[in-house]
């Protein structure tokens, strides 16, 4: 039991609460008893004076006087407390008096108890080095931490403080009921903790799971908090599984387990890192097989299912027969004809099914006619088309067909009737049965050139180039955009990218680069080196933490490119106008100088946007200029002068105010403009670059609202929204 429950503290004097309770009881008796006695005495006087008028007047006067005295006595304790409230400034003395007069001793104990539960924060002050951290702890839950100068020291919601640059500041710790503490923080290159030895290292958990390609800091808690953490040594028992830097940043490289050990002369701690591969499930979109087959009893035929996409995760095909007594099928897809009749062979994979009608006859039944589902078909270069045929009678036994092309330079055809466009022109595909019955399909092959501005999250870039069945990409949107991008590419049956251009190393342009490279394995990756001298703060400041995040992302997608065998070409080693070709598309890349190298005047004062690679795409005589985020006029305007007037123009930096300049807009004068943003988001800004573009065209399209497809196939620009 607390001492405060036994004693009342009045300005340092401890008094047994029995005494003030007795005093307060006595005061109550006086304040109530005396007024009652006085009133009773006055009533008796009145009764005695009933018969005498003079005595009545005397008794009434006594009654009034005694009533005044009774009221005064009754109110006396309250009057004393009111007077003391004005006179006594020492609250402890007043509480003590109130305890004696009113018996409010419990309140005094509660107040003292409340004072003892004040906010305590540890440590009371701290010295640390730049990029080092320690954690503040409090005896009160639900406190908020605020740094008075985040450029010197940052603090996270859990109380972790990181040194940013040399200087002094304070961390304000505040409770919900308004209690506060200020913790002085000193940050230095060689902090005062230099000679404070680490006594203890401790990891919160015994193990952590990571995905191949991830980089995360795993730094143990240090005791004392102001110890010199620069002497902590990190090692990995299996560096082929995961490596660790001198700062405790762990990078997962391959599947397996390793131990990361943090060690000083006096202490050590370790954690287990379990590395797994990120599993990306690719669902089956469709499955196709022959729609009908004719067989004689005893004959066999193997089905050849075509699964789309070809790299779908589930490739386990199942076969069943509706009547196994007529035609059976094994799990390799081989059908055996057993007796006359019909049976449906059901091919199933990942919930998708296809049906083949098998007709079994006891003798040869000749083909009487062949027909194709389409007599004319237009396809594009490097795309395919499956010819669908119908044979009569349906129970014909020898249904083998031969396919031939009149011009293999225009279109080829496989033994299964799959036509592939080779170059623009016309070719006739002849289909012939064993008994010389024929039909023909005219195939027209056209060039196909499209640029897809894929709908991603507002203010992010992902541009797909398509030319005669070949695909390439410029930028990959944010990390959160990957699912939408993948679904779009899968619907186009894109399986591989010829190349990928990453215009600059900001998350809204390269966020999904790692996953895109892993899934679509581009033959070549074009980009500029990332030097990290990038102004990435929302208020135009250089923030090392954000730069480190960008650098880690850069390292991750480069490592994945090497893993899948992608050739990496750094364009800052090339001259402006570096040419790349995608079939009929000719690309020229500009702004290849790296403006953020250490010796550049832009370093740490300019955004990575100044490094944006801009690309001119030419298809025949049609010019499309893709500007990325190149919003620095001194760099952008001279490039625009080289390019001149264009047909299609991507508005710089998502249409924001510092995007396309008046000068650049006046040079390019586009017929069509694409804005990688939404109108709603741009309306939230006070001003935008859009009015500069609308001086020259009112044909604006917003890829933050819809996928915008620019089609050049008919030697003119056609734009559709999807």
């Amino acid at each position: 039991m607390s001492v405060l429950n036994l004693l009342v503290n009045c300005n340092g004097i401890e008094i047994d609460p029995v005494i003030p309770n007795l005093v307060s009881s006595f005061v109550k008796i006086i304040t109530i008893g005396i007024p009652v006695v006085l009133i009773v005495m006055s009533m008796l006087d009145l009764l005695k004076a009933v018969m005498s008028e003079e005595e009545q007047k005397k008794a009434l006067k006594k009654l009034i006087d005694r009533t005044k005295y009774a009221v005064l006595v009754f109110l006396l304790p309250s009057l004393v407390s009111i007077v003391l409230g004005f006179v006594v400034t020492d609250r402890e003395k007043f509480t003590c008096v109130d305890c004696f007069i009113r018996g409010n001793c419990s309140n005094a104990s509660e107040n003292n108890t409340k004072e003892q539960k004040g906010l305590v924060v540890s440590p009371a002050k701290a010295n640390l080095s730049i990029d080092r951290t320690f954690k503040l702890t409090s005896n009160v839950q639900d406190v908020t931490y605020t740094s008075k100068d985040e450029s010197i020291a940052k603090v996270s919601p859990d109380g972790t403080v990181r040194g940013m640059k040399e200087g002094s500041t304070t961390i304000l710790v505040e409770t919900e009921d308004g209690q506060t503490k200020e913790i002085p923080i000193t940050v230095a290159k060689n902090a005062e903790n230099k000679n404070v030895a680490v006594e203890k290292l401790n990891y919160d958990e015994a193990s952590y799971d990571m995905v191949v390609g991830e980089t995360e800091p795993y730094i143990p808690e240090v005791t004392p908090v102001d110890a010199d953490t620069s002497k902590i040594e990190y090692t990995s028992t299996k560096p082929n599984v995961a490596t660790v830097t001198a700062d405790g940043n762990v990078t997962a490289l391959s599947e397996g387990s390793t131990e990361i050990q943090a060690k000083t002369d006096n202490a050590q701690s370790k954690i287990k890192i379990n590395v797994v591969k990120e599993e990306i499930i690719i669902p089956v979109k469709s499955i196709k097989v022959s729609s009908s087959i004719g067989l004689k009893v005893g004959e066999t035929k193997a089905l050849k299912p075509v699964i789309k996409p070809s790299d779908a995760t589930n490739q386990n095909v199942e076969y069943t027969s509706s009547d196994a007594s007529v035609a059976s099928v094994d799990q390799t897809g081989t059908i055996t004809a057993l007796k006359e009749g019909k049976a449906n062979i059901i091919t199933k994979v990942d919930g998708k099914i296809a049906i083949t009608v098998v007709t079994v006859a006891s003798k040869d039944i000749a083909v009487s006619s062949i027909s194709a589902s389409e007599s004319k078909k237009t396809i594009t270069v490097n795309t395919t088309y499956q010819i669908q045929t119908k044979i009569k009678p349906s129970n014909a036994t020898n249904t083998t067909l031969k396919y031939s092309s009149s011009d293999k330079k225009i279109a080829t055809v496989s033994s299964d009737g799959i036509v592939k466009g080779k170059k623009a022109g016309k070719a006739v595909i002849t289909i012939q049965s064993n008994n010389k019955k024929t039909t023909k399909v005219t195939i027209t092959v056209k060039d196909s050139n499209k640029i897809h501005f894929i709908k991603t999250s507002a203010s992010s870039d992902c541009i797909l180039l398509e030319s005669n069945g070949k695909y390439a990409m410029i930028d990959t949107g944010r990390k959160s955009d990957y699912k939408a991008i993948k679904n779009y590419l899968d619907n186009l049956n894109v399986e591989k990218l010829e190349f990928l251009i990453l215009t600059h190393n900001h998350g809204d342009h390269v966020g999904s680069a790692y996953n895109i490279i892993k899934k679509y394995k581009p033959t070549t990756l074009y980009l500029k080196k990332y030097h990290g001298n990038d102004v990435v703060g929302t208020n135009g400041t250089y923030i090392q933490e954000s730069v480190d995040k960008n650098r880690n992302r850069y390292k991750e997608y480069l490592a994945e490119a090497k893993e899948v065998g992608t050739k990496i070409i750094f364009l800052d080693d090339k001259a402006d106008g570096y040419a790349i070709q995608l079939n009929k598309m000719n690309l020229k890349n500009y702004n290849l100088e790296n403006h953020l190298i250490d010796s550049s005047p832009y370093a740490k004062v300019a955004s990575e946007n100044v490094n944006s690679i801009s690309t001119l795409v030419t298809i025949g005589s049609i010019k499309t200029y893709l500007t990325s985020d190149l919003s620095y006029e001194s760099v952008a305007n001279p490039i625009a002068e080289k390019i001149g007037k264009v047909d299609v123009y991507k508005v710089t930096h998502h249409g924001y105010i510092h995007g396309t300049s008046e000068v650049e807009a006046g040079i390019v004068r586009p017929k069509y403009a694409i804005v990688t943003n939404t109108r709603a988001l741009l309306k939230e800004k006070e001003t935008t670059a859009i009015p500069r573009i609308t001086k020259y065209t009112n044909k604006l399209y917003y890829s933050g609202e819809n996928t915008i497809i620019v089609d050049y196939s008919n030697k003119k620009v056609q734009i559709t929204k999807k």
Side-chain angles (χ1 to χ4, degrees), residues 154-374:
K154 280 189 171 183
V155 62
S156 62
D158 68 348
T160 300
V161 181
R162 176 183 288 275
M164 304 303 294
K165 71 176 183 180
E166 289 183 274
S168 296
T169 186
T170 57
I171 303 297
L172 178 66
V173 187
E174 187 172 9
T175 65
E176 290 183 341
D177 61 0
Q179 299 183 73
T180 61
K181 290 284 186 184
E182 290 191 352
I183 310 301
I185 304 295
T186 301
V187 180
K189 287 184 178 178
N190 297 302
E192 295 177 8
N193 63 355
K194 187 137 179 117
N195 298 318
V196 179
V198 175
E199 297 176 3
K200 186 179 179 182
L201 296 171
N202 181 58
Y203 282 108
D204 292 335
E205 304 289 340
S207 65
Y208 292 90
D209 295 330
M210 296 183 70
V211 175
V212 172
E214 283 186 338
T215 298
E216 295 289 343
Y218 289 102
I219 301 170
E221 290 188 4
V222 178
T223 304
V225 295
D226 59 346
D228 181 11
T229 58
S230 65
K231 295 185 179 179
I232 299 176
E233 295 180 358
Y234 296 92
T235 57
S236 171
T237 57
K238 295 181 180 179
N240 61 314
V241 174
T243 59
V244 60
T245 67
D247 295 327
N249 288 313
V250 178
T251 299
L253 299 179
S254 63
E255 288 184 281
S257 297
T258 184
E259 282 188 349
I260 302 299
Q261 186 178 68
K263 185 179 180 181
T264 66
D265 292 339
N266 303 319
Q268 64 178 15
S269 184
K270 61 184 180 181
I271 54 169
K272 186 178 181 180
I273 300 294
N274 302 308
V275 181
V276 297
K277 282 188 176 180
E278 183 180 14
E279 185 178 5
I280 300 175
I281 304 297
I282 304 172
V284 173
K285 296 287 186 183
S286 66
I287 180 171
K288 289 184 179 180
V289 292
S290 300
S291 60
S292 63
I293 294 174
L295 296 173
K296 288 194 300 181
V297 174
E299 287 185 334
T300 62
K301 188 174 182 66
L303 291 175
K304 298 178 181 179
V306 179
I307 298 172
K308 294 288 185 175
S310 61
D311 61 345
T313 303
N314 188 357
Q315 297 281 333
N316 297 320
V317 181
E318 298 176 0
Y319 303 93
T320 57
S321 173
S322 65
D323 191 342
S325 67
V326 174
S328 66
V329 61
D330 63 21
Q331 290 310 302
T332 67
T334 300
I335 302 168
T336 301
L338 299 173
K339 71 176 185 179
E340 285 187 86
K342 286 187 177 182
N344 293 334
I345 303 301
I346 302 164
T347 305
K348 183 178 181 181
V349 60
D350 204 17
K352 306 296 182 181
I353 62 172
I355 296 175
T356 302
V357 180
V358 178
T359 303
V360 180
S362 60
K363 60 181 181 179
D364 284 332
I365 299 174
V367 173
S368 62
S369 67
I370 307 168
S371 61
S373 60
E374 295 177 283

Side-chain angles (χ1 to χ4, degrees), residues 655-660 681-692:
Y656 292 131
I657 181 60
H658 45 276
T660 303
L681 188 57
L682 289 172
K683 283 181 180 179
E684 294 176 4
K685 308 296 180 181
E686 293 182 3
T687 54
T688 70
I690 302 304
R692 303 166 196 163

Side-chain angles (χ1 to χ4, degrees), residues 405-475:
S405 173
S406 64
D407 192 337
K408 293 181 180 180
K409 294 180 179 179
I410 303 291
T412 60
V413 62
S414 71
S415 60
D416 296 325
I418 299 174
V419 180
K420 184 174 183 179
K422 303 297 288 185
K423 73 174 186 177
K426 286 187 178 182
V428 177
I429 305 299
T430 301
I431 305 130
Q432 187 179 60
S433 68
N434 192 51
N435 62 343
K436 308 299 183 182
K437 301 295 182 181
T438 62
T439 191
K440 295 182 179 182
V441 179
T442 301
I443 301 294
T444 301
V445 182
K446 289 186 175 182
D447 286 324
S448 176
N449 296 289
K450 298 177 182 178
I451 297 180
H452 308 250
F453 294 83
I454 299 174
K455 181 182 181 299
T456 53
S457 53
S459 70
S460 69
D461 279 20
C462 182
I463 302 170
L464 181 70
L465 309 178
E466 176 190 353
S467 182
N468 289 340
K470 300 290 186 181
Y471 297 90
M473 187 175 285
I474 299 176
D475 288 338

Side-chain angles (χ1 to χ4, degrees), residues 110-128:
E110 289 174 4
N111 290 337
N112 287 329
T113 301
K114 187 175 181 180
E115 290 178 3
Q116 287 198 354
K117 293 181 179 179
L119 175 64
V120 178
V121 181
S122 180
K125 63 178 182 179
N127 302 317
L128 72 161

Side-chain angles (χ1 to χ4, degrees), residues 84-96:
L84 288 173
F86 286 104
V87 177
V88 180
T89 57
D90 190 330
R91 297 305 301 173
E92 288 187 356
K93 289 181 180 179
F94 180 79
T95 302
C96 189

